[in-house]
Amino acid sequence: MPDPTFRTVLERLVNFKPGPPVRSPEGRSYPLAANESPYGPLPAVVKAIEEAALGVNRYPDNNCVELTAEISARLKVAEDEIAVGCGSVGVSQMLLEAVAEPGAEVMYAWRSFEAYPILTRLSGATPVEVPLRDGAHDLDAMAAAITDRTRLIFVCNPNNPTGSVVHAAALEAFLDRVPADCLVVIDEAYHEYVRDREVPDGLALRTDRPNVVVLRTFSKAYGLAGLRIGYVVGHRETIEAIRKAFLPFSVNGIAQAAAVAALRSEAELMARVETTTRERERVREALRALGLPVPPSEANFVWLPLGERTLDFGRHCAEAGVAIRPFAGEGARVSIGSPEENDAFLVAAAGFDNPPTSENPPTARA
Ligand code: PMP
């Protein structure tokens, strides 16, 4: 019997295969691989989840009306300038389905968030990857790579996995060079962790630019990664188009209720974010004191450009029960967890005795 015919693009994609669970010899595990919040949901969020659970025999609100109103009130943007989706990954897929097709080009810096190439390929568009320069977006090179086929550009600010940022002046100059018919997606998944005052709030940048949208998520600072909910803010017509690509009912009612409760508990959540940003600086300083390379990060993770030493470092951490995210030959991304988790990581890092060589100096590029 012949196999079903699959799209040729699938040959370029791989199924995610989880590795063995990471555990120390004593059975401890420290999950620092996925940039999650280390804190469980607040009581008010748990209560909202419990209440929403009682209604799961019904379909969820397909328009996320209550949540959209809550976001609108907080961000001071109109409700029809907001589209909610199944995580910001789900929203990214909606964006691509709205503008990308075979023949179109989708541009992003590389290395950046791993979903960009996957979703771009699935959309049928051609990925255009512009290498980072010193671990940061090379906006000049990106502007130069724009063609009349470029339909969408992701700017991940701060960038995952390097933690680098794009400043307001540079981003505005770049946006001025992007044709009006090309959508620019400023992915601000880590926005709440930014302390560098020169980093723009994408929401301010997009008001007079109809081709700019801002992507936000409840997965990081709001601590709801497991519920899959995020949103995009943009110009009315753009949002209307994007909403057409929404997979019906893909944002469940529990996620919607939890997101509303999380927004109403913002002060407590932002206090947790403050702890994380303080921990980020502590972890970075401690790693640097160990002689490890760690550029500044404005996100809830740090980046160690370890080059060829990366996989050894990842294995070494795993043996101590610390799960991190190594990118072979490039570097390791380590999420900032609770102080206890961070300490476990720092103890592991201190025991890493694969010293830098002349081929892999500590300043190796990302
Ligand atoms: N954008 C970036 C840059 C990310 O790093 C992530 C999560 N790792 C996301 C989006 C996706 O977040 P969500 O859980 O909302 O799909």
Side-chain angles (χ1 to χ4, degrees):
M1 270 225 306
D3 284 339
T5 303
F6 295 109
R7 293 172 60 200
T8 50
V9 69
L10 297 189
E11 288 160 22
R12 313 211 45 186
L13 303 176
V14 288
N15 280 323
F16 179 70
K17 291 203 180 55
V22 169
R23 262 190 231 302
S24 72
E26 305 77 40
R28 304 297 306 267
S29 61
Y30 306 93
L32 301 181
N35 300 344
E36 299 141 334
S37 167
Y39 306 106
L42 292 167
V45 175
V46 173
K47 186 162 173 280
I49 289 172
E50 281 170 358
E51 281 169 17
L54 300 176
V56 295
N57 53 314
R58 306 286 175 197
Y59 285 103
D61 170 5
N62 203 39
N63 294 315
C64 304
V65 171
E66 196 189 351
L67 175 59
T68 304
E70 194 71 34
I71 297 170
S72 157
R74 280 170 194 280
L75 300 185
K76 313 255 178 309
V77 295
E79 291 180 20
D80 56 6
E81 294 180 315
I82 300 163
V84 179
C86 182
S88 52
V89 167
V91 182
S92 299
Q93 186 163 35
M94 289 160 68
L95 291 164
L96 286 162
E97 293 205 7
V99 303
E101 56 197 346
E105 291 173 357
V106 170
M107 186 190 296
Y108 44 86
W110 198 247
R111 173 168 295 274
S112 191
F113 181 36
E114 287 165 292
Y116 300 156
I118 298 168
L119 296 176
T120 298
R121 288 213 161 89
L122 277 176
S123 76
T126 305
V128 175
E129 299 184 342
V130 179
L132 295 172
R133 209 163 73 158
D134 296 331
H137 278 70
D138 185 347
L139 291 178
D140 275 337
M142 289 176 73
I146 295 172
T147 71
D148 56 7
R149 293 180 300 281
T150 313
R151 289 275 184 88
L152 186 149
I153 303 173
F154 285 106
V155 177
C156 188
N157 199 28
N159 189 47
N160 174 7
T162 55
S164 64
V165 286
V166 170
H167 285 162
L171 187 51
E172 282 186 70
F174 173 73
L175 294 176
D176 289 343
R177 293 172 70 182
V178 178
D181 61 358
C182 172
L183 190 66
V184 180
V185 181
I186 306 177
D187 184 343
E188 295 189 339
Y190 302 99
H191 171 74
E192 294 81 3
Y193 301 96
V194 173
R195 293 295 173 268
D196 177 344
R197 285 162 191 268
E198 286 184 62
V199 176
D201 179 337
L203 295 177
L205 283 186
R206 65 115 211 147
T207 44
D208 53 355
R209 298 176 195 269
N211 64 328
V212 175
V213 298
V214 179
L215 200 52
R216 298 264 174 100
T217 180
F218 287 99
S219 296
K220 311 294 175 185
Y222 290 86
L224 300 179
L227 287 177
R228 315 304 308 124
I229 185 159
Y231 62 95
V232 62
V233 177
H235 204 249
R236 194 163 287 118
E237 282 76 29
T238 312
I239 294 299
E240 200 180 327
I242 292 165
R243 281 181 172 176
K244 291 182 185 167
F246 180 61
L247 180 68
F249 304 119
S250 56
V251 179
N252 70 75
I254 296 177
Q256 293 182 38
V260 169
L263 283 172
R264 292 180 184 162
S265 310
E266 214 160 37
E268 280 167 273
L269 292 171
M270 292 312 127
R272 291 173 162 190
V273 166
E274 200 54 44
T275 305
T276 299
T277 57
R278 272 202 307 274
E279 280 291 289
R280 172 181 76 202
E281 301 313 317
R282 178 177 78 88
V283 169
R284 177 167 180 249
E285 285 318 312
L287 292 171
R288 281 160 57 89
L290 293 172
L292 290 161
V294 196
S297 166
E298 292 292 327
N300 66 343
F301 53 82
V302 289
W303 172 247
L304 291 84
L306 291 166
E308 297 309 317
R309 298 187 290 154
T310 301
L311 291 187
D312 283 342
F313 186 74
R315 269 191 294 272
H316 173 81
C317 291
E319 281 163 15
V322 184
I324 65 165
R325 182 72 179 85
F327 296 88
E330 294 177 59
R333 189 193 69 200
V334 186
S335 308
I336 300 299
S338 65
E340 185 210 357
E341 289 165 339
N342 301 332
D343 283 343
F345 164 62
L346 289 173
V347 168
F352 180 58
D353 61 0
N354 184 354
T357 65
S358 56
E359 280 158 31
N360 301 300
T363 51
R365 274 189 184 182

